[in-house]
Amino acid sequence: AGLGRLHRPRRRQPSAVPDARQGVKDPQVLAALEIVPRHMFVEPGMLAQAYVDISLPIGHNQTISQPYIVARMIELLKDSKKPLHRVLEIGTGCGYQAAVLSCVAQEVYSIERIKPLHELAKANLRPLRIANLRLQYGDGMLGLPQVAPFDGIILAAAGLEVPRALLEQMAIGARLVAPVGAQVQHLQRITRTGKAEWTSETLEACHFVPLRPGIA
Ligand code: SAH
């Protein structure tokens, strides 16, 4: 899917993988991290750090996520037994994780609530010509009911709990991965096991910007 057609640059492109690997094993996820040129998503003044495994500011008090956490969350989202079909991301930011997701899922939808960041992501992603990725401006806490159900949902911003609308937009058997908490946050993975049944696992500590309602 996604960036498969992208040509490798003549000079070997540095990769976000070496530092980001840290226990992430899924070969498809690691390959996606190799393919997506992270320098195309960072501000010009931050280019020297584009391939360092840290989050970086992208304006509007938001950040581009650390490659490790992007890889880890996508690995947690995947069920090795079946390919990911339709995936929703809440919090496009600069568009980096959306590009990585487009390499591992057949269809990716990503929502951003801050208009200038939605525009920034569009501009960052345009030259990559990713056919299976759709960006949406809006409040991701409401999900995307017109496209639901999703086989996977990833939140790139932390709420005190996972919004009900997102749980309802999961297909049966689907997974949702989200940072949950305020000052102290943990990754939570939720699996929809039935029409009115979800199970939840609390995993490692993490640090994300807050999930906020409404649009800006
Ligand atoms: N996915 C990005 C990370 C962006 S940071 C990456 O690849 O690096 C998280 C983003 O979530 C911010 O841009 C913030 O504006 C956005 N966000 C927070 N609450 C949101 C909501 N309710 N709906 C959509 N986006 C939201």
Side-chain angles (χ1 to χ4, degrees), residues 1-9 12-17 27-41 51 96 99-100 102-104 128 130:
L3 280 167
R5 296 172 277 97
L6 196 76
H7 294 292
R8 302 282 298 180
R12 210 184 105 69
Q13 175 188 305
S15 121
V17 171
Q28 200 191 13
V29 175
L30 293 174
L33 233 55
E34 283 272 10
I35 289 169
V36 176
R38 193 168 183 254
H39 66 271
M40 293 177 72
F41 298 88
Y51 293 97
Y96 174 67
V100 178
S102 77
C103 299
V104 306
L128 295 175
I130 305 175

Side-chain angles (χ1 to χ4, degrees), residues 1 18 31 69 112 116-117 121 127 194 205 215:
I69 201 75
E112 173 56 54
L117 288 179
I215 49 172

Side-chain angles (χ1 to χ4, degrees), residues 91-179:
T92 317
C94 61
Y96 174 67
Q97 175 160 267
V100 178
L101 277 169
S102 77
C103 299
V104 306
Q106 275 162 42
E107 279 173 43
V108 179
Y109 296 82
S110 182
I111 312 178
E112 173 56 54
R113 68 179 288 277
I114 300 178
K115 189 74 185 255
L117 288 179
H118 167 72
E119 299 295 340
L120 173 72
K122 274 206 281 193
N124 288 343
L125 288 160
R126 195 169 295 124
L128 295 175
R129 300 172 163 280
I130 305 175
N132 61 333
L133 171 58
R134 293 279 173 279
L135 299 184
Q136 183 84 26
Y137 168 59
D139 179 0
M141 290 174 78
L142 308 175
L144 217 49
Q146 65 274 32
V147 183
F150 296 95
D151 306 300
I153 301 182
I154 281 196
L155 282 82
L160 295 179
E161 53 182 28
V162 174
R164 184 82 212 170
L166 298 181
L167 298 177
E168 296 292 351
Q169 289 174 31
M170 296 168 73
I172 309 238
R175 293 174 172 178
L176 176 151
V177 178

Side-chain angles (χ1 to χ4, degrees), residues 170 176 188-193 197-201:
M170 296 168 73
L176 176 151
Q188 196 171 330
R189 177 165 69 177
I190 296 173
T191 306
R192 186 168 194 177
T193 50
E197 252 178 42
W198 291 261
T199 59
S200 165
E201 303 156 80

